[in-house]
Amino acid sequence: TTGHNGYVAGASGYYVSNELIQKGGNTVELTQEEKQKYEAAKAMYAKSVAEFNQNGTSAYEQTPVYDKTPLVAGKIYENKLKGAVDYLNAIRVAAGLPTVKYNATLSNSAQHKAVLTVYTNNYTNLKVPNPHYPPKADEVSQEFYDTAMSHMSSENLYSGDIISGITNAINDAYGDPITCGHRYNLLMPYWTDFGLGEAAGQSAHKLSGSQSYTNSVVAWPSEGITPMEAYSGGYWTCEIFNNYQITDNTWMEVVRLNDNKKWEFKEKTTVGNHRFAINGGIISFYDGDMTGKEGDVYKFTVHNLKKIATGETTDYTYRSAFKSIYGTDKEINIKYPETISLDKKNITIGIGQTINL
């Protein structure tokens, strides 16, 4: 800055006492549940990094061919795919959501879809009104096309490699920026299986299966921990699930607990610096002054929901803490055995019994 006499004052380094920050009221203590989610997310993230980095930087075991026919799907190293699945799992456990498992069949279909999408969009003159359901070019084999178009119960097509494609879809900045369908494809609590592929910066996700869950809301920023590694802005959302329903009078209150600044979202608009929309069970809101910085903790209150069991009007409150999940106090070293020897060749086991091998 410029001083009174025109001198320029600068700093080459600085130090801020953590004690002073705490006295200033800027640090918000995590709840016990948030701490558990934080530790679980850090451990899962470390596991994903260890898996992803096992065999160097090259992604492809077999390089795809997407600019000419015959198309070749190629193959991404399985450890890279499993690492990407657990990257998503780190985001999910930070939100208290059930994990998903790597599925090789879904990944094969997603890899074919990524290649097909690149070829159709860039190397043909076909019109593609819906990228999820492109027309088949004559020169593309029916087998390739059918594999790409299989497992369509939930599919994302987004830019990026297998890691950044997840981050980009979670933040959903284009294509579906208000209702954030790509985000919720990845955060739906009931999925069990996840497969993914990528070619020329085009990623594809496919999810399937069904499992039980107890979440009443699925939000971004998450109910619990929002990993800084996965956050880049855009609309914030809250989808209502078990126990509650949105009413005509539902509105959102947001408080940043670090400085108690408050925002209210009541008037529906999708333009300007302060936006609010409700579509089905999804509440979407945005304000340019709501930051997502390391250490920020927000309290969200969804007002005027209907309690399904009783029909009464009620509010639902949750918190989200923005935290980096990189690094862990525990060293995680994954080693895969080369051989496995068992002490029995045959067993007889009854329903409900457990036998250790």
Side-chain angles (χ1 to χ4, degrees):
T1 58
T2 303
H4 291 297
N5 297 318
Y7 297 107
V8 177
S12 59
Y14 59 90
Y15 170 76
V16 179
S17 165
N18 189 53
E19 182 182 0
L20 290 176
I21 292 176
Q22 290 174 341
K23 286 183 178 179
N26 294 321
T27 300
V28 179
E29 181 71 18
L30 298 182
T31 66
Q32 188 59 39
E33 183 180 357
E34 287 165 349
K35 289 177 181 177
Q36 291 172 352
K37 290 179 179 178
Y38 180 45
E39 292 303 323
K42 286 200 298 182
M44 184 63 73
Y45 188 77
K47 179 173 179 281
S48 77
V49 171
E51 288 170 327
F52 192 90
N53 289 340
Q54 277 176 33
N55 56 9
T57 58
S58 176
Y60 293 105
E61 187 175 343
Q62 180 187 16
T63 304
V65 176
Y66 49 78
D67 56 351
K68 60 184 178 181
T69 54
L71 299 177
V72 177
K75 187 176 182 181
I76 298 174
Y77 284 108
E78 188 175 82
N79 68 283
K80 305 287 187 191
L81 295 171
K82 288 182 175 179
V85 172
D86 280 334
Y87 170 58
L88 175 60
N89 278 331
I91 299 169
R92 287 176 67 96
V93 299
L97 298 171
T99 59
V100 292
K101 63 180 182 291
Y102 164 74
N103 186 299
T105 302
L106 290 180
S107 292
N108 181 55
S109 176
Q111 185 61 34
H112 279 72
K113 190 58 171 285
V115 170
L116 179 67
T117 301
V118 173
Y119 179 74
T120 304
N121 289 348
N122 298 281
Y123 300 98
T124 74
N125 295 319
L126 295 172
K127 293 183 179 180
V128 186
N130 184 338
H132 295 285
Y133 295 92
K136 188 185 84 66
D138 292 338
E139 64 273 20
V140 174
S141 74
Q142 190 67 48
E143 180 183 6
F144 194 101
Y145 183 82
D146 289 345
T147 302
M149 298 302 295
S150 61
H151 306 288
M152 293 294 293
S153 58
S154 179
E155 180 183 85
N156 277 348
L157 296 174
Y158 228 87
S159 63
D161 58 29
I162 58 173
I163 295 294
S164 62
I166 292 173
T167 305
N168 293 339
I170 285 282
N171 291 282
D172 219 342
Y174 67 83
D176 198 6
I178 298 177
T179 55
C180 299
H182 301 94
R183 171 182 302 169
Y184 279 99
N185 277 345
L186 295 181
L187 294 183
M188 279 298 179
Y190 47 72
W191 297 131
T192 60
D193 291 76
F194 183 36
L196 64 169
E198 181 268 336
Q202 172 67 63
S203 62
H205 306 146
K206 290 180 183 279
L207 299 103
S208 69
S210 180
Q211 62 181 315
S212 61
Y213 63 94
T214 59
N215 308 78
S216 293
V217 304
V218 176
W220 187 259
S222 299
E223 181 177 17
I225 303 298
T226 300
M228 294 302 302
E229 290 75 10
Y231 177 78
S232 66
Y235 269 89
W236 293 5
T237 55
C238 172
E239 182 163 6
I240 307 300
F241 282 87
N242 291 326
N243 306 319
Y244 303 97
Q245 286 180 342
I246 289 173
T247 70
D248 292 338
N249 299 317
T250 296
W251 61 281
M252 175 68 77
E253 177 185 346
V254 181
V255 179
R256 185 168 54 212
L257 298 179
N258 307 75
D259 57 7
N260 290 318
K261 186 168 182 178
K262 183 167 71 172
W263 296 264
E264 293 183 350
F265 297 87
K266 295 181 177 180
E267 300 297 325
K268 296 182 177 65
T269 178
T270 56
V271 297
N273 191 57
H274 189 83
R275 309 172 200 167
F276 179 49
I278 295 179
N279 294 276
I282 297 178
I283 303 166
S284 307
F285 50 102
Y286 168 86
D287 191 289
D289 295 329
M290 295 191 311
T291 59
K293 304 194 307 292
E294 171 74 29
D296 282 350
V297 179
Y298 284 83
K299 182 177 77 171
F300 302 88
T301 303
V302 188
H303 290 273
N304 298 332
L305 292 171
K306 184 174 82 171
K307 207 165 186 177
I308 295 175
T310 63
E312 64 181 319
T313 300
T314 188
D315 299 338
Y316 186 93
T317 298
Y318 64 97
R319 295 188 359 158
S320 186
F322 287 82
K323 299 282 291 182
S324 171
I325 58 172
Y326 176 74
T328 177
D329 296 334
K330 299 177 181 179
E331 182 179 352
I332 297 177
N333 184 19
I334 298 175
K335 294 182 179 179
Y336 294 98
E338 295 180 3
T339 60
I340 298 176
S341 299
L342 301 178
D343 60 339
K344 300 181 180 69
K345 291 186 176 181
N346 297 285
I347 61 170
T348 300
I349 184 169
I351 295 173
Q353 281 187 290
T354 299
I355 292 178
N356 293 325
L357 299 180

